[in-house]
Every structure is written in C-alpha cells, then in structure tokens.
Amino acid sequence: MGTQPKVKYEDVVFAKAHDRQLLARCYRSEHSIGHGIVMVHGGAWTANDRTTPWFVSESLARKGLTVLSLDFRCGPDFTHPAASADVVAGIRFLRFHAKEFGVHAESVGFIGSSSGGHLVLFAGLNSQREDHQSTQICVDEERFEEVREISATPAYIVALWPVSNPLYRYQFAQSTGRDDLVRAHDGYFGSIRRMEDASVQRTLRSGEAVQPPPTMVVQPGDDANVPEEMTMDLIRALQERNTAVIYRYMPNLPHAFAYRPSAGAHRCCEYIWSFVRGQLPFREPSQSIA
C-alpha cells in the first residue's frame, strides 16, 4: 500500500441567516479530482457540528473530493425548516465558488447521516420551496446574497441511516421509551404538523419533490434510532419516482457507527466512494493544493 494523501482543512464562512454567520469545514487532500460534496452532520437536529463527521469527511477527501462539512441552525433555538434552508445555501455556496475550490459545479453532491441524512434528502429534493430561500450565501468577504439562480439540486445524494420520516420516528421513539429522541423532535419541529411537512416520503409521493437524482441509502442492522421499516418505505417512495437507488444493508452495526474509525466504518466509506465515483461524469488530473 502506498502512502495516503495528506488531508488539510480550513473553516470558512459560507452563509448568513438573519444576523447569524454559519461556518463550514472544508477538507481537501494533496491531490484533487475536481469534484466536491457537501456533508451534513447528524445529531437529531439539535446536537453536533461541522467537525462531527470528520472520519467520513477525511476518507472522502483522501479520494480526491473536496468536502464541505456544514454548520447549520439547530433546535431548540431554531425550528424546521431552518436547518434545511441552511443546507440549501451550502450547496449553492460551493457551486458559486466552484472555481476557487477547484471543483465542477454541476457534479456537487450531498451526503448526510441520521438527521443529516434527512436534511440532505429533504433539502435536495425540495430546494425550490420558498421557505428554503432565506439563508444568504457568502459571495465575498463582505457580501451575502440569496443567489437563487444557482441550482441547489444535488447531482447525487448519499443518505446514511436517514430519519426520512420525522413523524414516524417520533412515534417510534414514544413507543420505545426513547425520551431523548422525543425531546429532540419536539425541540426542532415543535409540532406534529411540522414533522409531517418534513417527511421525505410525503414530498416524494405528493409530487412536491423534484425528480430525485441517483441516491444511495445505508441502513445499519442494529440501528436502535432508525427503524428499518421506515428506511424501506423511503426506498419504495424513491423507486415509485423511478429513482436510481443503491441500498446498502450493513448487519450487526449500530446507529452512527461511521463517526469513528472501525472496520465497519472503513467498509462503509468504500461503499460511499464506489457509489460517488460512479456518479462523476469526468475525472480531472490530480493537482496539488497549497
């Protein structure tokens, strides 16, 4: 085995929601293949930050992807759809600054885990909603603008153990005594109506969502936070829209297992890279970064 490329990262301001500036951590390796992906962390819409999914971010950066891992507005200080509006701004930011980051704007994809998996699906399939337009992107050091003319529909989506139907998971948490998850849902959504509104399956079946891009979904076998029945309903809803779907079931692994290095996490990253590589329309020669 050869020496793995070194990964560097820097924090950048990518957006502003009202008076609150939002940071993203940009991961890049010594050799770029000219493509980027926007990473959205999990944490039940109420916890964690851009640094949490560092292992997957670094793994993808070593493959040559530019990875932009986002901070976004979380509950209980903010409620739906604040987080998904910020995620929409994240992909617009990377596309707006594609030349500066050395990536092809049209090939930018989304990846997210758990509640972040929900957000990349919901934001990516519903970026045209009016309530997803309020977060302004950083266009230069002093200016923030909405830049609606830039598409926020991703080239592909990777959803790791996504909470695709918040109301279904809320009821599951209530029935299984998961008070921590119940509090998190209440903290971000605040009402049953908002949980229903945020269902990825609902937007797919209602026709509100755009035609989904190629999508990969990963489900751990021992996931106590995301019921497999909910994930299978997501797969059916995507297939009903004639979506190209890759489903990876990973037995004997718990929720959020890929946040730290392990044999399962390495295997998951290889699955992700295999899928992403298949979506890239062209490859650029390697180029060093400073």
Side-chain angles (χ1 to χ4, degrees):
M1 294 179 62
T3 303
Q4 289 189 326
K6 294 181 180 179
V7 173
K8 295 183 178 181
Y9 65 81
E10 63 173 334
D11 289 337
V12 298
V13 175
F14 80 93
K16 183 173 73 172
H18 303 295
D19 293 328
R20 183 187 183 96
Q21 292 189 1
L22 301 172
L23 291 175
R25 178 155 289 188
C26 182
Y27 295 82
R28 302 180 72 190
S29 74
E30 297 174 293
H31 301 288
S32 169
I33 62 169
H35 297 286
I37 189 168
V38 174
M39 169 72 77
V40 181
H41 69 78
W45 306 278
T46 58
N48 298 329
D49 61 21
R50 66 190 182 282
T51 69
T52 304
W54 66 269
F55 178 72
V56 177
S57 297
E58 288 191 3
S59 296
L60 294 177
R62 286 194 182 93
K63 300 295 187 181
L65 289 175
T66 294
V67 182
L68 193 72
S69 182
L70 307 181
D71 277 350
F72 48 86
R73 290 171 293 168
C74 294
D77 295 330
F78 301 93
T79 58
H80 170 76
S84 46
D86 297 343
V87 170
V88 166
I91 195 169
R92 284 192 171 130
F93 170 82
L94 187 53
R95 283 179 165 157
F96 184 87
H97 295 283
K99 289 185 178 179
E100 297 167 48
F101 284 103
V103 302
H104 296 282
E106 63 271 26
S107 68
V108 175
F110 266 149
I111 181 170
S113 57
S114 192
S115 57
H118 164 263
L119 290 173
V120 296
L121 287 163
F122 189 73
L125 301 180
N126 298 278
S127 62
Q128 75 282 2
R129 283 172 48 135
E130 185 60 31
D131 54 9
H132 279 162
Q133 313 307 318
S134 58
T135 304
Q136 298 178 319
I137 72 167
C138 181
V139 297
D140 60 35
E141 293 182 356
E142 298 181 352
R143 288 189 301 130
F144 294 85
E145 298 177 4
E146 289 181 4
V147 196
R148 296 190 185 203
E149 64 271 19
I150 295 180
S151 171
T153 300
Y156 57 85
I157 297 174
V158 179
L160 309 175
W161 39 97
V163 189
S164 55
N165 185 336
L167 179 56
Y168 187 102
R169 211 279 289 272
Y170 184 67
Q171 294 168 337
F172 167 81
Q174 289 177 316
S175 67
T176 55
R178 292 294 304 274
D179 293 341
D180 55 333
L181 297 180
V182 171
R183 285 192 299 271
H185 278 254
D186 287 336
Y188 179 64
F189 293 102
S191 71
I192 296 297
R193 181 188 62 79
R194 284 177 172 167
M195 293 181 211
E196 290 176 330
D197 176 70
S199 168
V200 177
Q201 288 89 319
R202 182 197 66 77
T203 63
L204 284 167
R205 290 176 170 136
S206 69
E208 295 175 25
V210 300
Q211 177 59 37
T215 301
M216 175 180 175
V217 179
V218 176
Q219 173 73 31
D222 291 342
D223 196 321
N225 288 23
V226 174
E228 186 179 354
E229 295 83 1
M230 180 178 67
T231 299
M232 296 313 298
D233 186 52
L234 169 66
I235 299 298
R236 287 191 294 271
L238 289 166
Q239 290 174 334
E240 289 163 11
R241 294 289 300 273
N242 296 316
T243 309
V245 183
I246 298 294
Y247 176 61
R248 288 286 189 178
Y249 179 77
M250 301 190 68
N252 306 316
L253 290 171
H255 186 75
F257 68 90
Y259 275 177
R260 295 289 183 272
S262 68
H266 282 285
R267 189 163 70 253
C268 185
C269 288
E270 288 303 316
Y271 289 154
I272 295 167
W273 172 238
S274 177
F275 170 77
V276 170
R277 183 174 54 191
Q279 311 313 312
L280 303 182
F282 35 71
R283 301 289 294 275
E284 287 293 313
S286 298
Q287 51 186 327
S288 298
I289 62 172

